[in-house]
Amino acid sequence: MCANIIVAEDDPKQAELVRRYLEREGHAVTVVSDGLSALEEARRGAPDLIVLDVMMPRADGLDVLRVLRAERRETAVLMLTARATEDDLLLGLDLGADDYMTKPYSPRELMARVRTLLRRTRRDEGRAESDVLRVGTLVVDPVRHEVSVDGAGVECTPGEFRLLAAMAAEPERVFTREQLLAELHGFDRYISSRTVDVHIMNLRKKLERAPRRPVRLLTVFGVGYKLMDPLKAATRASAR
């Protein structure tokens, strides 16, 4: 699974280490040492993945991510950071990062994360038109990476989209936070189940007419969340 990968890291030793490991797996690697160069490379080519350090000169990694997502570039982004607080991690994920690793990290674990992200990207690209997911008036299109509800388009971050797509593929199934977290980011000792709660809260703001009284994304207390068709649920309730 060879890919074009940008490594944006201002520490020369770290950048060289990551480059060597990636090239050993057959990837084509471009190394840059600041945020503006990372943006220029992402715009110039069509990278499959960006390994993006948070702390960089000439625009930090979070600013780079903001611009990429504002330009509707869906390139997978794996962020690296020395910041280990949960709020920092949640900010990166909320901006649209696909995965997050905290320094110091194991190069072998980094390669495993890269393989997972590339497999997920190739899988999504290979889905057929018939894979459009519909739950009532909610439509999730994995091919075009689009979401609409009641006919209106909805902008989602990559993390929100993956969570919603997983739930739309099995409507009415109750997902635990751990199951949704694994679908989002794999198992990471630095990321808690609060990440899922943040994504659900943001999705409710985008999908629900009354986010504090949701009818689509429901909480199953003590367990997790499920996605419902509100009309179907209302019909069942009136038949009782």
Side-chain angles (χ1 to χ4, degrees):
M1 189 185 296
C2 298
N4 293 316
I5 299 177
I6 296 172
V7 175
E9 168 65 75
D10 66 329
D11 183 327
K13 291 184 179 178
Q14 286 286 324
E16 177 62 15
L17 178 66
V18 175
R19 182 190 65 79
R20 286 207 314 263
Y21 269 84
L22 288 170
E23 289 183 345
R24 191 179 300 170
E25 297 206 358
H27 303 302
V29 182
T30 300
V31 176
V32 296
S33 59
D34 64 81
L36 292 184
S37 297
L39 275 174
E40 291 169 3
E41 285 295 330
R43 289 164 172 165
R44 181 179 298 119
D48 299 294
L49 172 68
I50 303 175
V51 179
L52 183 62
D53 187 32
V54 170
M55 300 298 292
M56 287 189 299
R58 300 179 69 215
D60 67 24
L62 294 175
D63 287 333
V64 172
L65 184 58
R66 283 189 186 96
V67 174
L68 289 173
R69 297 314 186 210
E71 294 178 351
R72 302 179 65 86
R73 298 179 188 274
E74 300 297 337
T75 304
V77 174
L78 192 163
M79 301 204 76
L80 306 175
T81 181
R83 300 170 176 172
T85 70
E86 187 178 58
D87 287 342
D88 289 325
L89 299 178
L90 291 170
L91 174 59
L93 296 172
D94 198 38
L95 287 173
D98 295 273
D99 204 351
Y100 222 116
M101 291 192 69
T102 303
K103 297 178 180 179
Y105 54 82
S106 158
R108 291 178 62 188
E109 182 182 357
L110 176 62
M111 294 305 105
R113 299 290 190 88
V114 167
R115 288 192 293 271
T116 297
L117 283 177
L118 291 175
R119 279 197 301 269
R120 182 184 296 152
T121 301
R122 304 284 165 83
R123 180 190 66 197
D124 291 345
E125 289 175 350
R127 282 178 171 163
E129 191 75 20
S130 60
D131 287 337
V132 171
L133 305 168
R134 302 177 188 276
V135 183
T137 60
L138 172 68
V139 181
V140 181
D141 187 337
V143 175
R144 296 184 175 87
H145 207 277
E146 294 176 349
V147 176
S148 66
V149 63
D150 297 327
V154 177
E155 293 290 333
C156 293
T157 68
E160 291 167 1
F161 185 88
R162 283 201 302 277
L163 186 151
L164 189 59
M167 299 182 78
E170 298 184 72
E172 301 189 31
R173 171 187 168 183
V174 179
F175 289 83
T176 66
R177 288 175 174 83
E178 290 71 22
Q179 288 169 333
L180 291 172
L181 191 60
E183 181 67 30
L184 284 167
H185 309 294
F187 295 98
D188 189 324
R189 62 186 180 279
Y190 295 109
I191 300 177
S192 77
S193 59
R194 185 184 166 206
T195 304
V196 172
D197 297 334
V198 170
H199 283 311
I200 292 290
M201 179 182 66
N202 290 336
L203 282 169
R204 282 174 173 165
K205 292 176 182 177
K206 298 175 180 182
L207 302 177
E208 303 279 5
R209 293 182 180 178
R212 294 189 177 183
R213 297 189 298 276
V215 295
R216 297 179 188 277
L217 278 169
L218 304 183
T219 299
V220 180
F221 292 100
V223 184
Y225 301 100
K226 64 180 178 179
L227 181 65
M228 297 290 294
D229 174 355
L231 181 59
K232 185 184 290 186
T235 301
R236 287 177 185 167
S238 63
R240 291 173 183 170

